[in-house]
Amino acid sequence: MNEGEVGGLADDLVRIHRAISRGFMVAADASHSFARNGFDDEELKLGFLNYVRAHVAILAAHHRAEDEVAFPRLRERLPEAPYDTLLAEHRHMEPFFEQMRLAIADIRIGKHVKESLEVLVYALNMNRELWRPHIYQEETHFNAEAVNAVFEADEQNEISQAMARCSQQNAKPDSLVIPFILYNLAPADRAGFSAHLQPVLLARMNEEWKGQWRTMKPFLLP
């Protein structure tokens, strides 16, 4: 799938993977830099913490949407995919989510900041090493050709919408996670993802939520 190419369920999966993959890279690099050099100011620190908080929330919610929504539906018609392995890999990543949440909480109150940043570097890199082969398996088994062969377009849209609802229920706050996804995507992919969002959410992001997520801008794409 080329950036921005609009398609079905397989393409939606690739888009969210791209946003999360960039989140891993940016968060790990920034954690390493701040562990060595500290924060220039409190607003940069807040933006960084908001960015990593959103990253963890989206990753955890994405896995839950796959576990509870996508995999049960896909298993019915694509039974050869390694579902048990994929589910186990989700479980293997979870302890690192908690390490990151605890590190974020400590950095926020100024407790063991350098050590907590080093924990973030470790947890992000360990999780990213699991993530890369994991999404390769997903994108290989659930590619557009395979999915289109067994699901009609309306069925794929139904699954995508159900996954989006599950993710939105579990990835909070909306004021950070929606901008995180959109602005970790290149503009063409951003437009494709925006097509699935309710107009009211986009309006709120650009108006009442702007003061909350603007702190993340140093870590986001323009």
Side-chain angles (χ1 to χ4, degrees):
M1 173 189 166
N2 296 321
E3 288 189 0
E5 184 178 314
V6 177
L9 178 61
D11 297 350
D12 293 337
L13 187 68
V14 170
R15 283 196 188 96
I16 191 65
H17 285 173
R18 284 176 175 161
I20 293 170
S21 294
R22 184 178 186 274
F24 271 122
M25 178 189 69
V26 172
D29 288 350
S31 298
H32 180 68
S33 175
F34 292 137
R36 288 186 303 168
N37 305 315
F39 296 100
D40 290 340
D41 55 60
E42 283 299 309
E43 183 159 325
L44 183 65
K45 174 183 170 181
L46 176 60
F48 166 74
L49 294 175
N50 283 341
Y51 186 89
V52 183
R53 176 187 177 192
H55 171 79
V56 178
I58 291 162
L59 180 55
H62 172 65
H63 284 178
R64 185 165 181 175
E66 290 183 333
D67 293 353
E68 297 180 2
V69 178
F71 289 173
R73 294 289 301 275
L74 291 165
R75 194 191 285 263
E76 294 172 0
R77 302 188 197 176
L78 294 170
E80 70 283 358
Y83 296 98
D84 291 344
T85 298
L86 294 173
L87 290 165
E89 289 170 351
H90 286 178
R91 303 290 83 78
H92 293 160
M93 294 185 206
E94 287 177 0
F96 297 111
F97 300 168
E98 190 58 23
Q99 287 184 25
M100 287 186 271
R101 293 185 186 109
L102 291 171
I104 291 167
D106 282 347
I107 296 165
R108 191 176 300 278
I109 64 173
K111 180 180 177 183
H112 307 304
V113 172
K114 186 177 188 300
E115 293 83 355
S116 296
L117 285 163
E118 289 170 351
V119 168
L120 276 182
V121 173
Y122 172 79
L124 285 161
N125 283 329
M126 290 296 291
N127 230 336
R128 180 164 53 170
E129 290 306 305
L130 296 169
W131 170 256
R132 287 167 171 160
H134 177 79
I135 63 169
Y136 174 80
Q137 287 293 323
E138 289 186 350
E139 292 175 10
T140 298
H141 287 279
F142 310 132
N143 62 64
E145 182 179 3
V147 173
N148 290 342
V150 295
F151 287 98
E152 298 295 335
D154 60 339
E155 294 177 303
Q156 293 184 45
N157 185 61
E158 177 192 342
I159 297 169
S160 288
Q161 291 298 326
M163 288 185 70
R165 288 193 298 272
C166 182
S167 292
Q168 287 176 17
Q169 288 167 3
N170 292 287
K172 297 295 180 183
D174 289 341
S175 57
L176 297 181
V177 300
I178 292 173
F180 179 99
I181 296 171
L182 286 172
Y183 290 98
N184 275 296
L185 291 171
D189 274 335
R190 192 179 305 162
F193 185 85
S194 297
H196 292 293
L197 291 176
Q198 298 173 8
V200 66
L201 291 177
L202 289 172
R204 294 183 75 184
M205 184 187 78
N206 290 316
E207 295 169 8
E208 65 183 279
W209 293 342
K210 200 162 189 178
Q212 297 177 56
W213 69 266
R214 67 176 178 78
T215 59
M216 299 193 299
K217 281 190 173 182
F219 309 97
L220 300 172
L221 292 170

